[in-house]
Amino acid sequence: MLVDSSIKPVDGNLLLTQVNGEYGVFRLVTILRHGLESFIDKSEFIPFGDEFVDDEIVIEGVVTFIIYDAKNEVFDDTLVF
């Protein structure tokens, strides 16, 4: 996964975050509701108001590219989501 910390996040961007010290990937949602939606579990949602201020959440950067799954030790062309 390639992450760029210089890009300003906008609605729909995937973000690499630290929530309570644990890394995770969340989608930024700013239309209809404001918050971070889990990329893995769509039912997990961290709401925030118009101003995002939370000492427990650190935005490391915007995910710009995802490399293929390498954990199965065989190259395949199936994208990892």
Side-chain angles (χ1 to χ4, degrees), residues 63-74:
V63 176
T64 58
F65 191 78
I66 299 174
I67 299 173
Y68 291 105
D69 183 9
K71 69 181 175 215
N72 62 6
E73 299 175 359
V74 176

Side-chain angles (χ1 to χ4, degrees), residues 16-24 26 55-60:
L16 178 63
T17 63
Q18 281 188 52
V19 179
N20 297 321
E22 294 184 26
Y23 282 97
F26 287 85
D55 294 334
E56 302 296 322
I57 299 174
V58 177
I59 307 291
E60 297 291 341

Side-chain angles (χ1 to χ4, degrees), residues 21-69:
E22 294 184 26
Y23 282 97
V25 176
F26 287 85
R27 182 178 309 280
L28 178 62
V29 179
T30 59
I31 298 176
L32 299 178
R33 60 183 185 164
H34 292 98
L36 299 173
E37 178 182 71
S38 174
F39 188 57
I40 297 170
D41 180 7
K42 299 289 185 192
S43 66
E44 184 181 352
F45 187 78
I46 302 170
F48 57 83
D50 293 334
E51 299 267 338
F52 177 71
V53 179
D54 191 335
D55 294 334
E56 302 296 322
I57 299 174
V58 177
I59 307 291
E60 297 291 341
V62 175
V63 176
T64 58
F65 191 78
I66 299 174
I67 299 173
Y68 291 105
D69 183 9

